[in-house]
Amino acid sequence: MSNYHIKHLEEYFKTHRKSVREPELFWEEIAEEHFVWRKRWDKVLSWDFRKPEVKWFEGAKLNITENCIDRHLRMKGDKTAILFEPNDPNAPAEHITYNRLYERVNQLANVLKSKGIKKGDRVCIYLPMIPELAISLLACARIGAIHSVVFAGFSSNALSSRINDSECKMVITSDGSYRGSKTIDLKGIVDEALIDCPCVEKVLVVNRINAEIELKEGRDEWLAPLLETASTECEAEIMDAEDPLFILYTSGSTGQPKGMVHTTAGYMVYTAYTFKNVFQYRENDVYWCTADIGWITGHSYIVYGPLANGATTVMFEGVPSYPDYGRFWQVIEKHKVNQFYTAPTAIRALAKQGGSFLEDYNLSSLKVLGSVGEPINEEAWHWYNDNVGKRKSPIVDTWWQTETGGIMLSPLPYITPTKPTYATLPLPGIQPALLDESGDEILGNQVDGRLCIKFPWPSIARTIWGNHQRYKETYFSAFDNMYFTGDGALRDEVGYYRITGRVDDVIIVSGHNLGTAPIEDAINEHPAVAESAIVGFPHDIKGSALYGYVTLKEAGEERNHDNLRKEINQLISDHIGPIAKLDKIQFTKGLPKTRSGKIMRRILRKIACNEMDNLGDISTLLNPEVVEEIIKDAQQ
Ligand code: WT7
């Protein structure tokens, strides 16, 4: 009996029970029936969260691109694999069939090889949302190179620190990118980043915007001429199940981003399985996820999960507001999109425009609506449900993380009754637990606590690149023998989960996971700044926005505050990217601290959120008097 495709609620419960009782048998059956392996595994799972170490399908040999491309060629070579919708609404969409994808991936794989890239080498990909981006991931996977995609909105500083952390030998980029009516000079950003990256030997450049750029002799080359002469056949490198497939950076609570390492077999099995069930994908459906491939959502649910199922996946280069706020709806109508997966921040931005943009378009193809990246508030949920889904398309509120590789909590559409703001139930294979502050599991319903996962699932990140100790400390030290997510959650009377938000120093702004520490580090580089602390506060569209408290080295300098504010935001833009800019900056004489010198963010957060009457006990602070002053200034 195949468990692969769940169709009824009873079946979901049965499958989940089986996955808890016999996890190895459960995943083994799925792996066996739905993928091609060059060699079968010797052992389904070995794990120890205390070490920590997790291995799935040990001993198996495979190549993920044979599963995502080659095996579909016989039955659906002419089916569209990637449907590319460009930024310019008047430019033609591009239908890349599985046959053509096979050729293009192999050509690029051959180019990479000819430039000296071998199995295990790291390749940084810094590209806009164009087909070459997806093809680059797959070409790396074809030859066993480890891809490290850096979102093309990150600054040159952020790019160079990521390149250096994993010592990438190559960067694949483009001459520039389109973003609505603007163009962005990506190659210029790469050039600046590479001043500090001695490890990079080669840069391959896609021509996207016909920009006049400089090619550095011996280092940079246009990609197109190399592809033209490359063979369309490239033997797939045979990988071990636990060989790294990619590194993807996520922010943490210290300055250095964490390079999460995902491995081959488990990641493939889990993303494919969850894609099929969470979106209830059927053979001729057109599926569209609006995320950028620079984030895990794009890796798992634009590229690997859909292609492993032989699906048609839309790649959109543009933005929701260009040429106007009807763009998403126009694309849905044009391509008759069946499953649409986006972020609450986009939903709120579109809701703010009202329903008028929607009226012009026929959205009747839609069957499933997805949400990801941050808690979806009740208002946005209803707007999405009423106006986009016309109360006919269930919303799947999918909770997961870069670290989890795939969706962990989500309703199954047409199967699990939905409830606004609830990610509802764990997918098969997932064993969530809520823990209290002393580390005890909270049983029963109508409770809340810190969200942990008790048992490994196939796509859990295996380590942080180059820093296994940090991996252990971040995820496996807060609670014994558990993976700690960093999120708080509640479980309602029927056992549904609702994510209440981060309980650490990570703030989710417009769905982007931002650590406070790297932002504070950037601010503190300003010569006038002594100290800073960042907290989140509620924002209509972004969900949360950033509020910075900054103390200056010399009193009086704040008189120049407008300039200082600009300079501080410029520093943040340079170091991280414009997404991390502060909405509010308050200059203060001091920051509230504990007696051991730790900044009390809890108090600053309350002030930023305008919850001053409920600050809790501040008498134990080292400097309670600064709190009064901060409140006074905040209210001005
Ligand atoms: C954090 C992970 C998963 C891909 C995109 C984000 C928050 C994510 C939800 C949701 C409430 C959510 C959590 C999580 N988050 N999805 N459906 N409801 N919160 O990946 O950048 O690694 O961020 O995003 O706080 O821990 P990420």
Side-chain angles (χ1 to χ4, degrees):
M1 229 300 280
S2 165
N3 299 309
Y4 191 69
H5 185 188
I6 299 169
K7 299 195 186 72
H8 312 284
L9 192 58
E10 248 339 283
E11 201 181 343
Y12 158 76
F13 284 116
K14 217 173 100 199
T15 308
H16 191 268
R17 276 196 302 274
K18 174 171 175 176
S19 77
V20 173
R21 239 184 354 246
E22 298 172 290
E24 299 177 19
L25 179 68
F26 174 75
W27 288 113
E28 177 164 71
E29 284 176 1
I30 288 172
E32 218 157 45
E33 286 174 34
H34 296 279
F35 301 91
V36 293
W37 303 89
R38 290 296 191 106
K39 178 185 168 285
R40 203 190 146 84
W41 46 91
D42 305 315
K43 193 160 192 259
V44 180
L45 169 66
S46 52
W47 69 289
D48 179 350
F49 274 173
R50 294 193 175 104
K51 256 183 172 171
E53 183 181 89
V54 177
K55 291 182 181 163
W56 283 92
F57 308 110
E58 226 179 324
K61 305 249 184 221
L62 74 156
N63 185 290
I64 195 168
T65 68
E66 291 190 330
N67 282 277
C68 289
I69 307 171
D70 304 36
R71 70 170 161 139
H72 305 312
L73 298 182
R74 205 167 58 86
M75 301 295 286
K76 34 182 153 169
D78 293 327
K79 176 175 175 175
T80 301
I82 295 175
L83 203 176
F84 173 62
E85 173 65 31
N87 177 66
D88 175 359
N90 300 314
E94 190 183 345
H95 290 255
I96 303 172
T97 62
Y98 276 93
N99 280 328
R100 191 64 196 126
L101 184 63
Y102 173 83
E103 294 175 353
R104 291 183 66 175
V105 167
N106 283 342
Q107 284 179 312
L108 181 53
N110 283 322
V111 170
L112 298 183
K113 279 210 276 196
S114 74
K115 297 295 160 193
I117 299 298
K118 295 183 298 293
K119 178 177 176 182
D121 287 344
R122 276 79 61 204
V123 173
C124 173
I125 302 171
Y126 188 72
L127 280 172
M129 281 287 285
I130 54 177
E132 286 82 354
L133 173 53
I135 290 168
S136 296
L137 270 67
L138 295 162
C140 287
R142 187 78 176 172
I143 63 170
I146 301 170
H147 56 76
S148 169
V149 182
V150 177
F151 171 58
F154 274 122
S155 69
S156 58
N157 274 298
L159 176 60
S160 67
S161 68
R162 285 160 176 75
I163 289 172
N164 285 330
D165 182 74
S166 47
E167 295 170 288
C168 296
K169 271 173 76 172
M170 176 188 272
V171 178
I172 307 177
T173 188
S174 66
D175 58 344
S177 65
Y178 294 116
R179 197 177 159 74
S181 56
K182 289 187 267 190
T183 58
I184 296 167
D185 174 21
L186 287 194
K187 178 62 166 54
I189 297 172
V190 170
D191 287 340
E192 215 173 295
L194 293 190
I195 295 172
D196 304 317
C197 297
C199 49
V200 173
E201 294 164 13
K202 291 276 173 225
V203 177
L204 300 181
V205 187
V206 177
N207 179 356
R208 177 59 188 150
I209 65 166
N210 279 319
E212 300 233 336
I213 55 159
E214 259 175 60
L215 293 182
K216 190 173 168 200
E217 183 83 43
R219 188 192 73 183
D220 305 351
E221 269 178 280
W222 288 110
L223 184 57
L226 299 171
L227 289 171
E228 252 166 52
T229 55
S231 160
T232 54
E233 293 296 327
C234 176
E235 193 68 38
E237 184 78 33
I238 303 308
M239 306 296 284
D240 286 335
E242 283 295 336
D243 277 337
L245 174 63
F246 66 86
I247 302 168
L248 185 62
Y249 287 87
T250 185
S251 7
S253 44
T254 69
Q256 186 68 11
K258 299 175 289 195
M260 304 313 306
V261 177
H262 282 284
T263 59
T264 307
Y267 176 81
M268 171 183 80
V269 169
Y270 193 77
T271 54
Y273 175 74
T274 50
F275 173 77
K276 177 74 181 173
N277 286 294
V278 170
F279 299 103
Q280 292 287 309
Y281 184 85
R282 305 282 169 132
E283 186 46 42
N284 295 314
D285 289 346
V286 174
Y287 161 88
W288 179 21
C289 166
T290 69
D292 193 289
I293 292 176
W295 312 113
I296 191 70
T297 308
H299 282 60
S300 301
Y301 299 110
I302 295 177
V303 182
Y304 290 112
L307 296 179
N309 283 283
T312 296
T313 176
V314 175
M315 250 186 102
F316 177 52
E317 183 187 28
V319 292
S321 55
Y322 176 79
D324 60 43
Y325 280 95
R327 190 67 202 279
F328 274 4
W329 322 128
Q330 180 247 331
V331 174
I332 291 173
E333 176 184 281
K334 178 173 172 192
H335 297 301
K336 302 195 172 52
V337 170
N338 302 113
Q339 290 93 357
F340 177 67
Y341 192 26
T342 195
T345 185
I347 298 167
R348 287 189 296 263
L350 293 165
K352 201 175 169 187
Q353 303 301 317
S356 61
F357 286 102
L358 274 155
E359 286 159 15
D360 300 343
Y361 300 102
N362 178 354
L363 305 182
S364 60
S365 57
L366 288 172
K367 296 195 287 191
V368 178
L369 302 178
S371 172
V372 62
E374 61 188 305
I376 178 167
N377 50 304
E378 191 130 9
E379 207 184 328
W381 195 98
H382 284 295
W383 186 85
Y384 200 25
N385 190 42
D386 295 351
N387 296 281
V388 183
K390 323 279 187 211
R391 303 195 185 188
K392 285 192 306 231
S393 299
I395 295 176
V396 291
D397 178 1
T398 64
W399 172 85
W400 57 298
Q401 310 179 292
T402 305
E403 295 85 338
T404 68
I407 297 167
M408 305 287 279
L409 303 175
S410 173
L412 302 180
Y414 300 99
I415 296 170
T416 318
T418 59
K419 177 173 177 182
T421 76
Y422 280 74
T424 73
L425 297 171
L427 295 185
I430 305 308
Q431 302 186 33
L434 297 178
L435 273 82
D436 65 22
E437 272 168 51
S438 52
D440 293 320
E441 183 170 354
I442 307 166
L443 300 169
N445 288 342
Q446 284 193 293
V447 292
D448 67 275
R450 311 205 155 198
L451 179 62
C452 293
I453 314 289
K454 289 199 255 195
F455 194 86
W457 62 100
S459 64
I460 182 175
R462 304 298 196 259
T463 190
I464 292 174
W465 183 265
N467 200 343
H468 198 65
Q469 186 58 30
R470 186 172 178 200
Y471 174 71
K472 178 175 177 165
E473 279 160 17
T474 312
Y475 305 106
F476 299 94
S477 302
F479 302 102
D480 179 45
N481 208 17
M482 299 258 174
Y483 167 83
F484 175 45
T485 65
D487 283 318
L490 63 81
R491 192 162 51 220
D492 76 358
E493 63 286 354
V494 301
Y496 275 14
Y497 288 88
R498 174 185 183 167
I499 306 300
T500 49
R502 303 289 309 186
V503 296
D504 57 8
D505 290 336
V506 171
I507 304 169
I508 316 257
V509 178
S510 299
H512 300 309
N513 188 332
L514 297 173
T516 52
I519 303 173
E520 289 161 7
D521 290 350
I523 299 173
N524 297 350
E525 289 213 353
H526 193 288
V529 170
E531 222 181 3
S532 60
I534 305 294
V535 298
F537 71 102
H539 185 282
D540 278 3
I541 290 178
K542 301 180 189 180
S544 295
L546 300 176
Y547 193 123
Y549 297 89
V550 177
T551 64
L552 299 172
K553 286 181 183 152
E554 281 172 49
E557 284 192 287
E558 66 271 25
R559 269 184 243 122
N560 247 335
H561 55 249
D562 279 343
N563 280 343
L564 266 176
R565 285 196 174 94
K566 276 198 201 116
E567 287 164 15
I568 286 172
N569 266 331
Q570 189 57 45
L571 267 171
I572 296 174
S573 249
D574 293 345
H575 279 259
I576 299 152
I579 49 176
K581 282 199 206 168
L582 308 183
D583 271 42
K584 285 195 189 155
I585 300 179
Q586 181 178 344
F587 296 105
T588 68
K589 291 222 176 69
L591 297 173
K593 293 200 179 154
T594 62
R595 283 172 199 275
S596 62
K598 254 187 101 181
I599 298 172
M600 284 292 279
R601 287 164 206 282
R602 184 175 56 78
I603 291 172
L604 295 173
R605 207 174 290 132
K606 290 240 157 104
I607 298 172
C609 298
N610 217 347
E611 294 167 11
M612 329 304 191
D613 17 328
N614 153 30
L615 287 183
D617 183 15
I618 59 169
S619 64
T620 58
L621 289 180
L622 190 66
N623 50 353
E625 71 287 351
V626 304
V627 176
E628 290 294 308
E629 254 179 69
I630 293 177
I631 292 177
K632 210 171 72 214
D633 290 346
Q635 285 168 332
Q636 275 181 359

